[in-house]
Amino acid sequence: MYENRSTRAGRLIPLQIVVLPARGARRAPDPVFFLAGGPGQAASWLMADPAITNGSLREHRDIVLVDQRGTGGSNGLTCDFYGPPADPANYFEPFLPLSRVRECRDRLSAAADLTQYTTTNSVADLDEVRAAFGYERINLDGGSYGTRLALEYVRRHESRVRAVILEGVAPPDLHMPENFGITAQQALDALLDECVSVEPCATTFPSIRAETRAVFERLTEGPVRARVMSPGGRPVEVVLRKEHVAEAIRYMTYSSHTAARVPLVLHAAYTGDYSAIAEYLFKERSPGTFDGLYLSITCAEDVPFVSADADTREAATYMSGYRVREQRAACAEWPRGAAPDWLGRPVTASVPALLISGALDPVTPPEAGAAVAKTLSHSLHLTVPYGGHSPSGLSGLECLQALKARFLESGSVAGLDTTCIADIRRPGFATRP
């Protein structure tokens, strides 16, 4: 694949493609292309998910996993941002440490033109893969950033799409990280409201909303100290700043599974024990790496178009606008690709589309999915109760898998029985370590 698709000359880059053949005897001609999130996740990593490799979607259709350019086996752009493991304190740097952003830029630039790793080029790559494998039409299943990739594919190649599933919908007018603090605050507030309305969370943490405010007010005054276990099993003291705690809490609310522990860890922090939050962030950053594609995508398609006062508008949220400030600073150091021609324009199409949002999603809330559905004339938008960006950890999720399978089997949202959505539940909140 040419790295520079406009000139079709110069450096060639590989694309890693995995095809999982349909398992059943009746094989449909239109496969399912799974599009990963991030941006920066490799589609081939989804092979770890049995719902994809052995689920009902594979019964009659091939599953195709194309590592997007800049991920996995497709000239992956990997930055070393945190660590090394022998020094846990180095895992508690800023989200985007500028010295390491520069180091990564210089290292990657020897083997990649970082301006060519964009959604537009990735859409063209996908269609070239479709044609090379002889698929007349395909189905798309995108999650998070993968919904942007799917929507832009539909915009350019609607006649090649039989049906599309969008989970955690990122609309074309979302400029990451604009409003990240606002939507994260809304999700956290709703989560804490849920806690104080159900037992035993309500009895165990009756003042959790006030305690949470106190935690972040305290962090505004200065950093705190916490202990984490080093890889060798030795306790190490680290310094936690407000943005570290905010990052940990935000990512915990991404998944319904880890969100169930949020009241517990915030209550512990209120009592002065930040160890669980520090351990969570340490684990999240333990690979030591960051996806360079995230910077190539967002520095071209998002950050330059974030409103000038975005960080000020988020000052009252628990994130305090730090992501806006850090991403602006990082993008000032990163090569910037061409601004996309689709920027801010809704996708208008008649392709059958099933959109799924989590009621408590901290980054792509249900109103984002509803807005996208308005211009997709044959669409159905579902909101998963208690769901985060990922509904993992909820009971009754077999409902979603069955709905997706029935939708793809029929290629239509007409007559789709969605009543099982109401049976999805949170098993409960953690009330003890």
Side-chain angles (χ1 to χ4, degrees):
M1 193 72 64
Y2 283 105
E3 184 180 56
N4 189 324
R5 296 194 62 92
S6 62
T7 63
R8 300 197 71 81
R11 181 186 291 119
L12 293 171
I13 59 173
L15 282 190
Q16 178 165 279
I17 304 165
V18 177
V19 179
L20 304 174
R23 296 176 304 172
R26 183 172 59 84
R27 177 180 175 274
D30 45 278
V32 182
F33 277 55
F34 278 88
L35 308 180
Q41 297 175 353
S44 59
W45 298 350
L46 298 177
M47 291 181 66
D49 185 352
I52 291 175
T53 55
N54 296 308
S56 54
L57 297 187
R58 193 182 166 193
E59 185 63 28
H60 303 302
R61 287 177 169 81
D62 295 348
I63 301 297
V64 181
L65 306 171
V66 181
D67 283 356
Q68 182 180 0
R69 58 168 59 204
T71 73
S74 299
N75 207 31
L77 306 176
T78 302
C79 296
D80 298 317
F81 274 7
Y82 317 112
D87 188 1
N90 281 336
Y91 286 83
F92 295 86
E93 296 286 338
F95 178 69
L96 295 170
L98 289 182
S99 62
R100 298 199 179 191
V101 169
R102 297 184 193 104
E103 290 172 5
C104 187
R105 173 201 63 199
D106 294 344
R107 177 176 57 81
L108 292 178
S109 293
D113 177 352
L114 298 174
T115 68
Q116 297 300 317
Y117 292 77
T118 62
T119 299
T120 298
N121 279 342
S122 296
V123 165
D125 292 345
L126 279 175
D127 197 55
E128 195 166 326
V129 170
R130 176 204 60 77
F133 278 78
Y135 296 124
E136 196 64 28
R137 291 201 301 167
I138 60 177
N139 303 282
L140 300 172
D141 190 329
S144 192
Y145 164 77
T147 65
R148 175 184 289 184
L149 195 56
L151 284 167
E152 292 315 310
Y153 188 92
V154 169
R155 191 196 300 274
R156 283 171 166 74
H157 306 289
E158 182 179 356
S159 66
R160 297 299 185 183
V161 182
R162 175 180 173 270
V164 60
I165 298 172
L166 306 173
E167 303 178 71
V169 188
D173 60 354
L174 170 66
H175 307 313
M176 297 182 283
E178 187 168 22
N179 294 327
F180 272 19
I182 293 170
T183 54
Q185 186 71 58
Q186 291 170 344
L188 178 60
D189 289 345
L191 183 73
L192 299 182
D193 286 346
E194 181 190 340
C195 167
V196 297
S197 70
V198 297
E199 295 295 349
C201 199
T203 298
T204 309
F205 311 117
S207 303
I208 190 60
R209 289 175 288 201
E211 291 177 358
T212 298
R213 288 193 296 271
V215 165
F216 285 106
E217 287 170 1
R218 186 187 308 156
L219 289 162
T220 300
E221 297 171 359
V224 297
R225 295 184 179 275
R227 290 197 168 195
V228 299
M229 297 301 294
S230 71
R234 176 176 57 90
V236 177
E237 190 173 76
V238 298
V239 175
L240 278 182
R241 294 178 173 81
K242 183 179 181 181
E243 58 265 30
H244 295 136
V245 177
E247 182 181 339
I249 295 301
R250 179 173 180 267
Y251 280 126
M252 288 184 77
T253 61
Y254 258 52
S255 163
S256 301
H257 173 69
T258 49
R261 296 187 65 244
V262 166
L264 174 66
V265 302
L266 283 172
H267 174 73
Y270 177 73
T271 68
D273 181 4
Y274 290 82
S275 59
I277 292 176
E279 285 284 0
Y280 179 85
L281 186 59
F282 188 33
K283 181 179 178 182
E284 282 293 298
R285 292 182 170 186
S286 62
T289 58
F290 188 87
D291 301 314
L293 182 67
Y294 185 89
L295 290 173
S296 284
I297 294 281
T298 60
C299 292
E301 303 173 11
D302 296 283
V303 174
F305 311 103
V306 170
S307 61
D309 65 343
D311 59 331
T312 304
R313 288 189 289 105
E314 296 192 352
T317 71
Y318 76 84
M319 289 181 66
S320 303
Y322 87 93
R323 277 291 295 269
V324 174
R325 292 188 293 274
E326 288 200 18
Q327 286 190 227
R328 279 177 173 156
C331 285
E333 306 291 341
W334 200 262
R336 178 177 167 182
D341 60 5
W342 47 262
L343 191 70
R345 293 193 294 114
V347 175
T348 302
S350 60
V351 60
L354 179 63
L355 294 79
I356 302 172
S357 300
L360 277 65
D361 188 331
V363 61
T364 53
E367 51 265 33
V372 170
K374 285 182 180 178
T375 58
L376 300 176
S377 58
H378 291 78
S379 67
L380 176 65
H381 178 227
L382 303 176
T383 298
V384 179
Y386 314 102
H389 198 53
S390 161
S392 173
L394 300 179
S395 63
L397 291 182
E398 61 277 2
C399 166
L400 293 181
Q401 289 303 313
L403 285 172
K404 288 168 63 175
R406 290 200 293 270
F407 167 67
L408 283 185
E409 192 65 21
S410 66
S412 172
V413 297
L416 198 61
D417 183 358
T418 64
T419 54
C420 64
I421 289 287
D423 296 327
I424 295 176
R425 292 284 185 272
R426 188 190 306 282
F429 286 94
T431 55
R432 63 182 63 182

